[in-house]
Every structure is written in structure tokens, then in C-alpha cells.
């Protein structure tokens, strides 16, 4: 396995594309398979082509692409790769229509976003600015392509290894890790990251109970317990279960912060809680901040700690035991990181 690192202009941290070619040195491959594809920018396509050339390959040589999820920084170049090589593109059934560029699915995702912006209490002017930002970056999703969908538990035979699809939604509806049990490693996309905590709530507004689903996915990854995780951004993670436990505990702390903000402000919208937690936001974070606040408020509402009236949430329990609202990850080790 080899890694190609790709830049992008919107998201934090270099993107990773993993090259599985059946050999240790990148020569005389039986089959050339990529995990993820990078964002659809001309400069990034050149980086990918250059990285493949360094390994003795060309874009036209790619046989298959396994996508961890539909976000543009992971799937954007899938269509260009398929156009160059005829490669088969694989995505989880929840994300496959978006990767394929299905017009109805794209329009529905946009409709849900606009609906959520209003529900979150986002000011009208800010909503208009965010919609403009998203429209301006719409081409990052790249060319439409034919996509073969898969489901949790499907197995991919890739040269001398078997990769099992492990569905781990939360950050995205179709987010999937590819687990090599024999190699004791997994390609995890944005399930866990070595520096940041993956956004929930804003990154994919199609996910219902986004924080609850993500917590379940973290527990599933802890149970899977691969020795090494290869994330979608930055460097490998040598203790994936420990990192997942750290992120779970982070969400307990963030939920406590949301409760404190509600106690200080009184009934509030996700937009107002986001401002209390994160301050002024710009670019894509105008989507991610209130989305994150919403995910935590929604989790609290489901537990009966807060109640919702329109766009506002109010505390019902003035002194909740927040930790009891989350499962115990079952391991003591905590992996430290810088930033969030």
C-alpha cells in the first residue's frame, strides 16, 4: 500500500488517497485500486497523476475506486478517473446517488440543507451567503459517473487482501471503513481523524440523530479494534480504538458545554449556541458550527434534557448527568491531539 497526499482549498488537512496495487514497490501490479479520490480541482488531479506516476502508474491504469463517503474532498475526482480509465467506482448505497451526480438526489440534499438552515435559526443574510458559498464550490464534486453501490458487510477482493465494508455513519450517511482483518488495519475515511473531530450535524444533513449515529459508529470502531487506521486526512492512527474513545469523551464535554450555554442564555437556537461555543465562523464552518450545535441539542432533546419549541431549545433538567447520556467506551486509554 502506498499513500498519495493531495491538497484542497476548503477543508483542513491534506487528503489521502491510498494506492493498493498488489506489490510492495508499486510495480507490475495485478490490479490498481484506490481508496478515495481527492477533490475535483485541476491542480489536485495533477497531483494525483504525478503521485501515480511516481509509483509507475497512470490514471488510465486505475481499475477500481473504493470511496469512504460522498464528500467532494474524497469523491470529487472519481468521475475524472472513470473517464480516463473506465474504472469501477464503489460507494455505499446511501451515498452512491450523490457520487453518481443523480440530479434528484442532489436537489433533495440541497433542499434539506436550506430547511436545516432555517430550523437552526441562521439569519437570512447568513443563509444567503452560505448558499452562495456552497454554490460557488459546487464543481468540487466533479463529473458524474457510474457507481456500483455496496452495503455493510460486503467484501472486496483486492489482489492479495480482502477488505470488508464496515458502515459507520454519522459524519456522512454512507461513511464506510474498509477493514483488512488479516492485515489488522482499516481505511477509515473521516470516521476518526488524528487531529480534528469529524463534524456531525452539518457535514451531512441527511443523517437523522447524527450524534447518536456517530456515537454508535465510534463504539463499532472500538469493537473492531484494528491495529492501524488510515484516515482520510493527515497521518496514520496507531491506536484507533483509543482515538475513538477520545472523540467520544470529547462529545460528552461538548454536550456539557451546550448545557452550560443554554443555562446562561436561556432558550436558544442552534445558531445562538454555535456562536457561544465557536464564536464567528467563516466559509464551510458556517455550515459545520450550527450543525454541530444542532446535533448536540437534538441528542439532549431525545434524552428529555431539553425541549424544542420551533427553532429554540430550552433546558428541562437544570442539572443533568450528561455523562449518563453516552455509553462508556469500555477502554481507559485516551489519545491526545491538538486542536478540534
Amino acid at each position: 500500500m502506498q499513500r498519495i497526499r493531495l491538497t484542497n482549498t476548503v477543508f483542513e488537512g491534506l487528503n489521502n488517497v491510498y494506492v493498493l496495487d498488489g506489490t510492495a514497490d508499486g510495480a507490475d501490479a495485478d490490479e490498481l485500486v484506490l481508496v478515495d479520490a481527492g477533490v475535483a480541482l485541476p491542480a489536485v488531479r495533477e497531483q494525483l497523476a504525478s503521485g501515480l506516476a511516481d509509483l509507475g502508474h497512470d490514471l488510465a491504469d486505475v481499475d477500481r475506486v473504493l470511496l469512504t463517503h460522498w464528500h467532494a474532498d474524497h469523491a470529487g475526482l472519481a468521475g475524472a478517473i472513470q473517464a480516463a480509465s473506465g474504472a469501477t467506482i464503489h460507494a455505499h448505497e446511501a451515498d452512491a446517488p450523490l457520487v453518481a451526480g443523480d440530479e434528484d438526489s442532489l436537489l433533495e440534499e440541497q433542499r434539506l440543507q436550506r430547511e436545516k438552515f432555517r430550523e437552526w435559526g441562521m439569519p437570512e443574510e447568513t443563509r444567503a451567503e452560505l448558499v452562495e458559498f456552497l454554490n460557488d464550490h459546487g464543481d468540487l464534486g466533479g463529473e458524474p459517473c457510474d457507481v456500483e453501490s455496496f452495503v455493510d458487510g460486503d467484501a472486496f477482493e483486492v489482489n492479495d487482501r480482502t477488505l470488508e465494508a464496515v458502515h459507520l455513519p454519522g459524519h456522512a450517511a454512507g461513511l464506510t471503513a474498509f477493514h483488512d482483518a488479516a492485515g489488522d488495519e482499516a481505511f477509515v475515511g473521516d470516521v476518526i481523524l488524528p487531529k480534528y473531530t469529524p463534524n456531525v450535524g452539518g457535514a451531512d444533513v441527511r443523517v437523522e440523530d447524527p450524534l447518536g449515529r456517530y456515537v454508535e459508529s465510534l463504539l463499532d470502531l472500538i469493537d473492531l479494534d484494528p491495529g492501524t487506521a488510515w484516515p482520510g486526512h493527515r497521518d496514520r492512527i496507531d491506536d484507533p480504538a483509543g482515538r475513538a474513545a477520545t472523540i467520544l469523551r470529547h462529545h460528552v464535554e461538548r454536550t456539557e458545554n451546550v448545557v452550560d450555554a443554554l443555562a446562561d442564555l436561556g432558550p436558544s437556537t442552534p445558531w445562538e449556541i454555535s456562536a457561544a461555543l465557536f464564536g464567528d465562523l467563516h466559509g464551510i464552518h458556517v455550515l459545520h458550527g450550527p450543525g454541530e450545535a444542532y446535533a448536540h441539542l437534538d441528542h439532549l432533546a431525545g434524552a428529555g434534557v431539553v425541549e424544542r419549541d420551533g427553532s429554540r431549545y430550552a433546558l428541562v433538567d437544570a442539572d443533568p448527568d450528561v455523562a449518563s447520556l453516552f455509553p462508556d467506551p469500555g477502554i481507559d486509554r485516551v489519545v491526545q491531539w491538538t486542536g478540534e
Side-chain angles (χ1 to χ4, degrees):
M1 186 274 292
Q2 306 286 338
R3 176 178 66 166
I4 298 174
R5 311 200 72 181
L6 304 176
T7 59
N8 60 69
T9 60
V10 177
F11 307 98
E12 297 93 345
L14 297 176
N15 275 86
N16 295 319
V17 169
Y18 298 100
V19 182
L20 312 179
D21 56 10
T23 68
D25 59 4
D28 301 323
D30 295 321
E31 185 181 28
L32 181 59
V33 178
L34 306 183
V35 177
D36 282 345
V39 71
L41 290 170
V44 176
R45 176 175 174 157
E46 289 301 315
Q47 290 173 358
L48 179 59
S50 176
L52 287 171
D54 290 342
L55 299 174
H57 302 301
D58 188 85
L59 278 175
D61 299 331
V62 178
D63 296 294
R64 288 190 282 168
V65 181
L66 306 179
L67 295 175
T68 60
H69 59 300
W70 68 278
H71 289 157
D73 55 327
H74 296 264
L77 283 173
I81 294 170
Q82 187 175 76
S85 66
T88 303
I89 309 299
H90 299 274
H92 186 273
E93 62 178 359
D95 287 359
L98 293 175
V99 176
D102 177 73
E103 185 174 353
D104 288 342
S105 298
L106 291 169
L107 288 173
E108 176 62 10
E109 193 264 339
Q110 292 174 2
R111 185 194 68 78
L112 285 172
Q113 279 189 332
R114 276 64 169 170
E115 181 180 290
K116 289 297 183 184
F117 299 165
R118 290 189 294 271
E119 287 182 9
W120 298 343
M122 188 181 293
E124 183 176 352
E125 182 179 353
T126 305
R127 293 202 308 266
E129 291 172 354
L130 179 56
V131 168
E132 182 179 3
F133 174 88
L134 294 172
N135 288 339
D136 287 346
H137 292 83
D139 58 350
L140 298 183
E143 305 172 23
C145 57
D146 295 325
V147 180
E148 289 194 8
S149 64
F150 60 80
V151 297
D152 180 62
D154 282 354
F156 297 91
E157 300 299 326
V158 180
N159 298 320
D160 58 349
R161 64 168 74 193
T162 300
L163 299 178
E164 180 185 359
V166 182
H167 186 212
L168 298 170
H171 175 71
L175 186 53
T176 298
F178 300 102
H179 180 222
D180 178 356
D184 195 24
E185 62 183 2
F187 302 91
V188 298
D190 288 356
V191 179
I192 57 173
L193 297 172
K195 182 173 182 179
Y196 295 97
T197 56
N199 180 260
V200 291
D204 191 340
V205 297
R206 302 174 303 152
V207 181
E208 295 184 8
D209 184 20
L211 182 56
R213 295 297 303 278
Y214 184 53
V215 167
E216 291 174 2
S217 293
L218 291 174
L219 293 175
D220 288 343
L221 184 58
I222 289 170
D223 288 342
L224 193 68
D225 197 21
T228 300
W230 299 100
H233 301 267
R234 301 180 185 270
D235 296 321
R236 75 181 189 187
I237 301 170
D238 292 324
D239 183 6
R243 179 66 179 135
T246 297
I247 293 174
L248 196 158
R249 291 175 180 126
H250 160 82
H251 281 293
V252 175
E253 295 173 2
R254 176 152 289 170
T255 304
E256 290 172 342
N257 292 338
V258 169
V259 169
D260 290 343
L262 279 175
D264 290 340
L265 297 174
S268 303
T269 66
W271 177 256
E272 291 165 339
I273 295 299
S274 172
L277 295 177
F278 310 119
D280 291 335
L281 298 172
H282 304 280
I284 195 66
H285 300 294
V286 179
L287 169 64
H288 288 170
E292 184 86 21
Y294 158 74
H296 288 263
L297 289 164
D298 182 63
H299 194 67
L300 288 166
V305 174
V306 305
E307 60 182 7
R308 177 180 170 181
D309 182 6
S311 294
R312 294 192 173 276
Y313 295 77
L315 281 173
V316 174
D317 183 349
D319 188 24
D321 180 3
V322 170
S324 70
L325 308 181
F326 292 83
D328 187 330
I331 57 177
D332 294 329
R333 60 186 183 270
V334 175
V335 179
Q336 300 297 325
W337 80 102
T338 57
E340 294 181 0

